[in-house]
Amino acid sequence: MSQHVTIEDVTPRDGLQNEPTPVPLAQKLLLIQKLAAAGITHIQATSFVHPKWVPQLADADQLAKDLPPLPGVQYSALIPNLRGYERAVAAGIRHLEFVLSASESFNHRNLNRSLQESLALLEQVTQRALSDGVTLRVGFSVSFHCPFEGRISTQAVVKLARECRAIHPWRLALCDSDGMGFPNQVRDAVRALRDDLRMQNAEIALHFHDTYGRGLSNSLVGLEEGIREFDATTAGLGGCPYCPGASGNLATEDLVDLLHGLGYQTGIDLEKLLDAAEFALQFSSRPYQGHLLRAMRPGTCQKNELRPVP
Ligand SMILES: [Zn+2]
């Protein structure tokens, strides 16, 4: 089994979208360059949602046009509908994540439409993507727990996956948006997607938040099941506007450290990744949420922790 693990760093999108103060475009581009310099090959750069919903990413069109074309680096962006698709493709993005939720309530709150309506949009976007040669990954928010409906059953995830895969067999990302998933749920969901839908490991990505400190345990179970693609954010930035108390995503540096310790390859230089984490931390309104930076560069975190929380 492959020992190479792909990390999709989603800091510029998931990390920054919940910060109270929008980060200037030039700073976002610098962050992206630092991530790439550390060896991150997959970067989720922004989200093409209506600026009214996520003002922090209102610069998506300009940011996408200004992304530096770096060899070996693949940029992606999140889209919820056809309008987002059109904006993203017009701005030059060729890899998109279509987002919908594993729970009906979260879909309504996060996307303002029913799951059925999101599936109809996925169908429209799929037709366009196939004719344009654009790649999609379909991301399921709240795959394990929903702040409104509670625990999400494996059957609900499989049902939604079956409906999406009937439209087109795009790769899927299971996202633990409020960080309340448990390792046994991750194992059950991955196994069910393989057993019931005949999905391959390479067609499944995992996206963990670390609200309850379960990000690494959940990742470990995913690895043991053979999954080799994980999302994370540098310095553990992020949160979830509809998940009260949700702290950031799993920190990229914590995940990479675990992977390297277990003998997996990522192509990522940990020291340079810590440089990127230090840089990203200045955009956080909260103390550092990860572990590695605190352990290896304690001075950096102290400075951040002394800052007043707005
Ligand atoms: Zn997320």
Side-chain angles (χ1 to χ4, degrees), residues 210-246:
D210 206 27
T211 318
Y212 288 80
R214 298 175 201 151
L216 287 179
S217 336
N218 287 338
S219 301
L220 185 59
V221 164
L223 281 167
E224 286 171 354
E225 285 300 315
I227 303 304
R228 295 291 180 266
E229 183 180 341
F230 296 85
D231 294 356
T233 65
T234 314
L237 258 62
C240 177
Y242 302 99
C243 307

Side-chain angles (χ1 to χ4, degrees), residues 71-267:
V73 175
Q74 177 182 300
Y75 297 113
S76 72
L78 189 137
I79 56 161
N81 55 28
L82 194 55
R83 175 79 189 117
Y85 174 89
E86 286 169 345
R87 284 174 58 202
V89 172
I93 307 272
R94 309 294 294 173
H95 300 275
L96 298 173
E97 174 152 4
F98 183 93
V99 63
L100 75 178
S101 309
S103 95
E104 188 71 50
S105 313
F106 199 83
N107 213 71
H108 274 283
R109 293 291 269 275
N110 196 34
L111 301 167
N112 204 27
R113 63 180 67 95
S114 70
L115 257 179
Q116 220 44 53
E117 287 170 310
S118 277
L119 285 165
L121 285 169
L122 175 60
E123 202 155 354
Q124 290 176 17
V125 168
T126 293
Q127 283 172 13
R128 292 285 294 276
L130 292 175
S131 74
D132 294 343
V134 166
T135 311
L136 292 191
R137 185 177 91 168
V138 180
F140 294 177
S141 312
V142 297
S143 289
F144 306 106
H145 183 275
C146 167
F148 312 111
E149 295 187 16
R151 194 173 172 118
I152 299 295
S153 69
T154 300
Q155 294 89 312
V157 173
V158 170
K159 178 177 178 287
L160 183 61
R162 183 177 282 119
E163 289 171 318
C164 291
R165 302 270 295 178
I167 293 169
H168 188 79
W170 298 116
R171 293 161 55 251
L172 301 180
L174 302 184
C175 306
D176 185 19
S177 310
D178 64 359
M180 289 184 72
F182 285 97
N184 59 336
Q185 291 180 278
V186 176
R187 183 181 295 119
D188 289 350
V190 168
R191 288 185 181 176
L193 292 178
R194 280 198 310 245
D195 294 346
D196 298 359
L197 302 184
R198 299 274 159 251
M199 287 184 70
Q200 305 290 312
N201 286 332
E203 296 178 304
I204 303 168
L206 295 171
H207 172 118
F208 295 120
H209 286 241
D210 206 27
T211 318
Y212 288 80
R214 298 175 201 151
L216 287 179
S217 336
N218 287 338
S219 301
L220 185 59
V221 164
L223 281 167
E224 286 171 354
E225 285 300 315
I227 303 304
R228 295 291 180 266
E229 183 180 341
F230 296 85
D231 294 356
T233 65
T234 314
L237 258 62
C240 177
Y242 302 99
C243 307
S247 69
N249 296 58
L250 173 60
T252 310
E253 61 274 17
D254 289 1
L255 178 58
V256 169
D257 175 63
L258 177 78
L259 290 168
H260 290 180
L262 292 173
Y264 293 96
Q265 287 114 40
T266 64

